[in-house]
């Protein structure tokens, strides 16, 4: 099945603020509909620490996520996920079974760096 994404102008794409952050806190999220973690992510001094939820429990333990660099959209409005407010969208892609594989820089980069 082929998916033909809707056209998006470059100007529209630039409005999506994608930044790198470091996971500084990980908790189980038993109230989530699907298995997930509550994350606290540090995006550096300009953006600060933000909360997120990630359904990344298949491939990552809490210990593996702690101090990991992740990529997230930081300018979407907060989203209510059960009893939790997610402030940023942590980005990942599905594996062949639909489980989350997180996007992460290959090298150590400064916190808050914007994707281009």
């Amino acid at each position: 099945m082929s998916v033909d994404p809707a056209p998006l102008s470059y100007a529209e794409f630039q409005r999506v603020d994608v930044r790198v952050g470091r996971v500084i806190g990980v908790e189980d999220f038993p109230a989530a509909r699907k298995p997930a973690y509550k994350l606290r992510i540090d995006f550096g001094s300009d953006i600060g620490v933000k909360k997120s939820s990630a359904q990344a429990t298949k491939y990552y333990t809490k210990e593996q996520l702690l101090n990991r660099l992740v990529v997230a959209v930081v300018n979407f409005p907060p989203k209510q996920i059960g009893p939790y407010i997610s402030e940023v969208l942590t980005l990942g892609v599905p594996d062949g079974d639909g489980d989350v594989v997180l996007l992460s820089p290959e090298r150590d980069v400064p916190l808050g760096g914007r994707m281009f």
Side-chain angles (χ1 to χ4, degrees):
M1 181 169 141
S2 174
V3 176
D4 189 15
L8 182 71
S9 74
Y10 190 74
E12 289 170 311
F13 173 74
Q14 285 184 303
R15 292 183 54 214
V16 180
D17 194 355
V18 179
R19 305 283 181 133
V20 66
R22 184 174 306 280
V23 176
I24 61 169
V26 185
E27 296 177 34
D28 290 321
F29 189 7
R33 191 171 35 93
K34 294 182 180 179
Y37 294 122
K38 294 178 186 178
L39 305 178
R40 290 181 54 244
I41 305 170
D42 183 1
F43 291 96
S45 59
D46 288 347
I47 296 170
V49 175
K50 299 291 182 181
K51 299 183 305 182
S52 186
S53 171
Q55 295 174 354
T57 58
K58 180 175 181 181
Y59 294 115
Y60 309 95
T61 65
K62 290 184 283 189
E63 294 77 19
Q64 289 171 322
L65 285 173
L66 195 60
N67 295 312
R68 181 184 186 89
L69 291 177
V70 294
V71 178
V73 177
V74 299
N75 66 334
F76 285 162
K79 182 175 182 178
Q80 184 85 39
I81 301 173
Y84 190 67
I85 300 288
S86 182
E87 299 173 307
V88 299
L89 175 63
T90 304
L91 299 176
V93 294
D95 69 3
D97 295 324
D99 292 302
V100 174
V101 177
L102 294 173
L103 298 181
S104 181
E106 292 181 0
R107 296 198 167 105
D108 198 28
V109 296
L111 299 182
R114 186 170 181 172
M115 182 189 77
F116 55 1

